[in-house]
Amino acid sequence: MNTDEHRWMRIESDLYPAGTEKADSSFLGMTGLAGLSCCAFRRGLRERHFERSRDLTGRDMPSRPKQNLPDRARYAIAPEIEHPASYPAGTASRSKRIGRKPVSSRIRNGGFERVISSGVEKSVFREWSEKADSSSLGMTDAPDRARYAIAPEIEHPASYPAGTASTSKRIGFRPVSSRGLSRARSSPAVLALSCCLLAACIVILAISPVSASPVSRFAVSPPLAYWPGWGYYVNPGYGETTFGDPAQATGAPTGEGTNPGGNPEHVTTLGAFGGSVTLKFDHTVRNDPNNPFGMDAIVYGNAFRSGSTVWMEAGTIEISRDANGNGLADDPWYIIPGSHISGAPSSVWATKEYDKFNTSYPPLFKSYYPDKTSIYGVVWYPDYPDHVTLGAYRLPISLAGSSTQTPWGYADCYPTLILGDMNGDNVVENGGISPEEFYTTPDDPMSAGFTPRSGGGNAFDIDWATDASGNPANLDGFDFLRITSAVDTTLFGGNECSPDIDGVADASPVAQSVRAIKNYSDGNDIRLELATVTAAFAGEFYVQDGRFFGVKVKSPAVVTPGDRVNVIGSISTAAGERFICSLRSDGAIWDAFARVVDHVDPYPPAGMPNALLGGAALCPATPGVTGGVGVNNIGVLVRTWGKVESTGAGCFYISDGSLPQGQGLKVSPGTLSVQNPRMVIVTGVSSCERVGNDTIRVIRPLLQDGIVEIE
């Protein structure tokens, strides 16, 4: 190796301290520009900071040659096929990964000690290189303290009378959470001021909610309508007081396995033929081909199973899109015909009359008729008439009671598993899994047995929906769902065939990579599993599942770098940066669901010059920064450096010579404790901001040790 080559290898290694992985210029698509920009920075660095350097043999190093630094790694990357910005309803999106294994030679050394000769500067860099865990404030939830009843407004088939049974709604308080502030590295006065500000923030955060609750993956309370048929459990009695509570059909299911024994405390009974409950979501359930088996929603009940025999009481499923946006279920309804309705669903529509007193009409036992008097101090059905006509799309009697059939597209035909029972054996194999993960994973409705990791229940595809004539509905999603008792028969002892509903879930998609989800247009549901946290800020954090692909997650979850998390939500964009959140039906942005699974060593930051931060566009849905080059790295933990060029309100700008004249890399939020430092090293997340029509490069420093200043 000649002297010049030896010298350049040494300088190159000095630029990447321990714990930093070099982002090579050729890998990042800068085979020409990177060499020039890196050399420009290194020339300035050497002129400013190295009056005299020696090579590894101790000899004086000659003057710097004029050639570019050779690239030492070659990567060939063919990005995934880009998704269009939007997909027509019912169109399956596809992606394909085409890549070649990278061949790389990365050069590191033990830090900046070989570059900086001062003992003080050595200690600063050693301390900076140590891992620093982010501190955090706890999260508390205020208890629910209010309940109120409503009279739903809904149009229902078969001349339902005006008004419905009253129900209840919980009013909750948003969780209070925040992340800790970074440790001060300055004078006692600055440290004291920081402590005062931190104490003030704690007081403010303790009394002020700072983050919205996640959008629910389940139907929410209160139900829009509950109009039961007659039934054994419709009126409170026999020790059962909740079967007639429609709120039991909202929220996460409380599965009791393949033999639930009635599940009395967690289900809503629909009563005899024609009884129904109408539910709503706080977001639109999307028709998403990326969901497992293409299923979009799951209805849970209390069917039970013994061997190949299932005790079922089937109900039909109807869905409606809030097309006019008024929040009422007054738009057209569409039926899921399922396995046992062929041809036009209208051909099996039927109605039935019931009377509270006239023995010519069912029920046989008049005490089973919905009672509008006070029972246990509650008027359960104040508007229920003494004579009523109910209707439904009739299903065959074979779907009531003990059956060996495997119907699909109906409610209460398959058991709801115990939370964490990963294979349907009534044994909890995963005690840490959450309802949002478990009960949003659909079982394959076309296969016997339970799909591993699913919560059971009855899943359906929005594409199955038709109108009453059998014409495809072609819906891109739905906001409301109605379940109706649809088998007109009696079972043991003259009791009704009554579906019991334990909840309805919006199915979550198959877990994918960060790079894959960034191909999707805004509003698409996504799911990440075992993504590693790289940085945490107030109300949000960043994750990576590889060295060069990361994304922001809007969530108040208390996390630290190295935590591996599961995330469920929707992909969105703000200020040019993609992030994961939850989207309500009205377009409001709420928190995504996130759960810490375990902890591993965090990813080290990727070292790169200023010009490489941000990168070029990944696909139409994920743009890069203006003038960006190389791989899109927005959301990735990086380390960069440069001279402070200017300061602003809560930020400053640095340059290492790799950016065009007059441009600087924005460090935000960022403050300096040293006046006019010669250079700063910043460790943080590659981000961006919109300024006019441009998207500029930004680095968000870590809360602790994100900025190191060299005097």
Side-chain angles (χ1 to χ4, degrees), residues 309-519:
T309 301
V310 177
W311 181 276
M312 63 183 68
E313 296 170 275
T316 55
I317 301 169
E318 297 169 84
I319 57 177
S320 178
R321 185 78 157 92
D322 188 13
N324 58 20
N326 65 359
L328 303 177
D330 54 4
D331 293 288
W333 284 89
Y334 300 93
I335 177 73
I336 304 294
S339 56
H340 285 65
I341 297 179
S342 59
S346 58
S347 64
V348 297
W349 176 258
T351 61
K352 194 157 187 177
E353 296 180 76
Y354 304 111
D355 196 280
K356 183 175 183 178
F357 303 107
N358 191 334
T359 57
S360 299
Y361 299 95
L364 176 63
F365 306 106
K366 298 304 179 182
S367 61
Y368 292 177
Y369 196 86
D371 201 323
K372 59 185 176 183
T373 61
S374 176
I375 303 175
Y376 299 118
V378 177
V379 179
W380 286 83
Y381 309 107
D383 301 309
Y384 210 98
D386 294 337
H387 187 94
V388 67
T389 299
L390 302 180
Y393 295 99
R394 192 193 303 270
L395 294 177
I397 295 177
S398 61
L399 300 186
S402 182
S403 175
T404 58
Q405 297 194 37
T406 55
W408 49 267
Y410 309 120
D412 203 14
C413 290
Y414 221 56
T416 301
L417 298 184
I418 301 169
L419 180 64
D421 175 5
M422 309 304 284
N423 54 21
D425 60 359
N426 293 320
V427 176
V428 175
E429 288 85 16
N430 185 351
I433 197 168
S434 67
E436 289 80 3
E437 296 165 282
F438 187 65
Y439 291 121
T440 63
T441 302
D443 180 34
D444 183 358
M446 303 300 179
S447 299
F450 294 99
T451 301
R453 301 183 66 188
S454 78
N458 297 97
F460 68 90
D461 187 348
I462 292 174
D463 280 338
W464 296 347
T466 73
D467 62 16
S469 300
N471 301 309
N474 295 321
L475 295 174
D476 64 348
F478 70 87
D479 301 281
F480 311 110
L481 177 142
R482 180 166 60 214
I483 307 168
T484 306
S485 181
V487 181
D488 185 10
T489 189
T490 56
L491 301 173
F492 57 90
N495 292 322
E496 82 288 0
C497 173
S498 171
D500 300 318
I501 308 305
D502 196 13
V504 182
D506 178 359
S508 60
V510 175
Q512 296 178 296
S513 68
V514 170
R515 177 169 182 165
I517 69 170
K518 283 190 167 185
N519 281 309

Side-chain angles (χ1 to χ4, degrees), residues 4 10 25 84 153 252 278 316 327 369 405 463 488 506 553 601 611 629 681:
D4 288 347
R10 177 182 175 186
S25 60
E153 301 176 12
T278 304
T316 55
Y369 196 86
Q405 297 194 37
D463 280 338
D488 185 10
D506 178 359
V553 179
D601 291 335
V629 292
I681 297 99

Side-chain angles (χ1 to χ4, degrees), residues 36-49:
L36 293 172
S37 61
C38 291
C39 288
F41 166 68
R42 289 164 182 165
R43 179 174 63 252
L45 181 67
R46 186 171 186 275
E47 290 172 353
R48 288 192 293 267
H49 305 302

Side-chain angles (χ1 to χ4, degrees), residues 640 649-654 664-672 680 682 689 697-701 706-707:
T640 192
C651 68
F652 60 90
Y653 295 81
I654 64 174
L665 171 64
K666 184 175 183 179
V667 181
S668 176
T671 56
L672 296 170
V680 296
V682 184
E689 291 180 4
R697 300 169 179 82
V698 176
I699 183 170
R700 298 184 64 180
I707 302 173

